[in-house]
Amino acid sequence: MPDYVLDRPVEDDVDEFFAIDSDPRVWTHLPSGRMTEREEAEAILVKLQSQWELDGLGPWMVRQAVGGELVGHCGCSLRGVSGPGASHSEPGAFWNLGYRFRPEAQGNGLATAVSRDAIDAAGTVDADLPVVAYLLEHNIASAVVARKLGLEIVHRAPDAGNPDAAAVRLVFADRELTAAQLDATLR
C-alpha cells in the first residue's frame, strides 16, 4: 500500500488542485468535466472547505509526504440534501465517494486506500447514510476501485445531460438505496 498524507483543503492548494483538475489526461472519461479556469478551482476549494465545517466531512487533499506535492483529492461528501449544512436525515441524503489523482499517481492502489479511509470516516460521521460512487461505464479504473471497496452496482442507465449521448452512468453503493437517494445520484 502506498504511503500518503491526508489534509483538509486550504487556499494554498489552489494551483496544484487546478493542475490536477485541468489535466486532460485525468478527464479522458469525461472531457467536458475538465476545469479550464483557475477561478473554478478557487470556488470548488471554498466549497470543499465548507463541507468540512458544515457536514463534518469532505474530500481530503492527498500527498505522498508531509508538505509534499498534491497528488490528488479523495473523500466523501454529503449529497442529496437541500443545501450546505442541511440535515443528514433528509430522504435523499447519501455520502458521495469521489476522487481524482494525477496520472503519475494512478495505478498503485492509492485511490483504493484513501477511499477506504473516506468510507470509514463517513461511517464515523453518519453510518446510517449509504456510500455511493457514481461514474461513467467506460471509466473502467473507477469501476475496479468501487468493486475493490465492496460497492455493488445498484443502477445502470443513460447518463442524462451528458454531452456524449451514448454515455452510461453506473451507480455503485454499499447498500440498497431508497428511491429518493437513487434519484439524487442521477441529478
Side-chain angles (χ1 to χ4, degrees), residues 74 97-101 105-119 131 133 135 139-152 170 172-173:
C74 176
L97 173 65
Y99 58 84
R100 195 151 292 114
F101 289 92
Q106 295 175 7
N108 64 5
L110 190 57
T112 302
V114 179
S115 292
R116 279 196 181 104
D117 291 340
I119 291 170
V131 173
L135 52 110
N139 189 347
I140 306 285
S142 284
V144 167
V145 170
R147 287 184 177 98
K148 283 182 183 178
L149 296 168
L151 304 180
E152 296 184 14
L170 301 179
F172 287 82

Side-chain angles (χ1 to χ4, degrees), residues 5 17 23 25 27 39 49-50 64 67 69 111 114 116 142 149 154 167-169 175 185:
V5 176
F17 181 76
D23 186 333
R25 299 172 300 163
W27 289 96
E39 291 75 21
Q49 290 168 329
S50 72
Q64 290 186 306
E69 177 184 50
V114 179
R116 279 196 181 104
S142 284
L149 296 168
V154 296
V168 173
R169 178 177 288 216
R175 65 193 84 169
T185 70

Side-chain angles (χ1 to χ4, degrees), residues 7 14 16 40 50 63-64 67 84 115 126 140 152 162 166 186:
D7 295 319
V14 68
E16 290 179 292
E40 292 174 83
S50 72
R63 293 175 170 75
Q64 290 186 306
S115 292
D126 191 338
I140 306 285
E152 296 184 14
N162 192 311
L186 303 177

Side-chain angles (χ1 to χ4, degrees), residues 27-40:
W27 289 96
T28 57
H29 63 286
L30 182 62
S32 64
R34 184 174 72 87
M35 282 186 200
T36 57
E37 302 291 331
R38 185 178 185 277
E39 291 75 21
E40 292 174 83

